[in-house]
Amino acid sequence: MDEPSSAVLKVDKIPVTDSTVGGYVALATINRPNKLNALNVDVMDSLKTLCAWVENSDEIRCLVITGAKPLPAEEGKRAKPNSFVAGADISEFVGMDSKATKIKFTDNAVESLWSLTKPTIAMIDGFALGGGCEVACSCDIRIASERSKFGTPEINLGLIPGYGATQRLVKLVGYGKTLEMVMTGEMISASEARNIGLVNHVCDHEELSDFTMNIANKIASKSVYTLKTAKRVIKAALNNTLNEGIAIEAEEFAKLFDSHDQEEGVRAFMERDTPNWRDQ
Ligand code: COA
């Protein structure tokens, strides 16, 4: 399957650097800059196709997802602001009833992103609002520019978040902060987002791409087999009691000792060599 670029989702394959593994980091850019990269049906369909491709491609070791930069301002008009994703496309809400909404929001692309077994990073430069904040929350790591803004403004539309923020945001920032964000609909700055645990790192917008790709490359140079185990086990902490989670960890930790890459990692350490992962 070729990389699943579409008019609204640009996908680039960036070769993994500083590693013996080869392969690529997939850089997916949501591309509706004139609508602040709002998630319409086309974007959601493209994101689902992207997730299936990332999951099944042996070449892709990590996914970075971002929003397209604003286009140059049209004459006599102001430039659009920088945006990761300014939410679900509100124009598609007009005339929708509960039945249509259930179909649109069930088994959606944000869940596909969440369900990916490979590592995912959101690279955020600008607005991450509503569905944009939820896309970010569905990734494993969030890295934002200093000029980014986060929020769940659905309350202003007579709505609540519908792509998982009532649940995943709670896991990231806690019950009280989620209630405040959802009930006020107010935006928070990138530095506040970092302070409350919503983003992992904040950096200057000019350094965002290098900073993010550096982390993506670091992750992409590990064994995908081991990374998948790490992600699966850490996610188990969200749905299980502590004792259940510890039991899951013990099981999965032991299982790794039957893998090629565990043997190879230990061999490479002992022989002061570089590990040659086989992702198995
Ligand atoms: N859905 C559809 N279109 C959107 C959108 C969204 N979520 N967010 C922005 N846009 C569109 C605007 O309609 C506008 O289109 P136009 O130029 O064709 O009229 C364009 O993107 C630029 O947005 P604009 O509102 O003019 O920019 P701004 O700098 O004045 O304000 C925001 C930026 C982010 C504060 C504002 O766009 C906003 O509040 N967006 C909605 C955020 C939201 O409620 N998200 C949750 C949805 S569930």
Side-chain angles (χ1 to χ4, degrees), residues 30-169:
I30 298 173
N31 188 28
R32 295 186 75 212
N34 280 339
K35 297 291 178 187
L36 311 193
N37 303 317
L39 304 169
N40 66 358
V41 171
D42 291 347
V43 174
M44 294 302 270
D45 286 350
S46 298
L47 282 175
K48 268 195 160 185
T49 307
L50 168 80
C51 289
W53 173 71
V54 168
E55 193 64 45
N56 294 319
S57 165
D58 290 339
E59 294 183 314
I60 303 301
R61 308 185 71 80
C62 179
L63 170 66
V64 175
I65 189 155
T66 194
K69 293 185 190 322
L71 299 170
E74 287 173 37
E75 207 174 308
K77 293 194 174 165
R78 73 185 166 110
K80 309 275 183 202
N82 283 84
S83 184
F84 172 66
V85 170
D89 190 314
I90 299 168
S91 67
E92 291 184 350
F93 289 176
V94 179
M96 273 178 66
D97 62 10
S98 62
K99 199 170 160 215
T101 305
K102 264 191 198 158
I103 293 167
K104 188 177 161 84
F105 279 73
T106 302
D107 189 23
N108 63 64
V110 181
E111 295 309 313
S112 303
L113 194 54
W114 173 251
S115 301
L116 274 180
T117 62
K118 291 184 186 171
T120 55
I121 302 177
M123 178 167 78
I124 301 148
D125 184 19
F127 291 114
L129 304 175
C133 189
E134 290 168 301
V135 166
C137 288
S138 280
C139 290
D140 303 330
I141 295 173
R142 286 147 291 284
I143 303 170
S145 69
E146 83 295 350
R147 63 186 176 185
S148 298
K149 289 205 178 326
F150 296 79
T152 51
E154 292 89 344
I155 200 83
N156 300 323
L157 303 169
L159 286 169
I160 63 168
Y163 287 134
T166 62
Q167 308 303 305
R168 282 189 278 263
L169 196 56

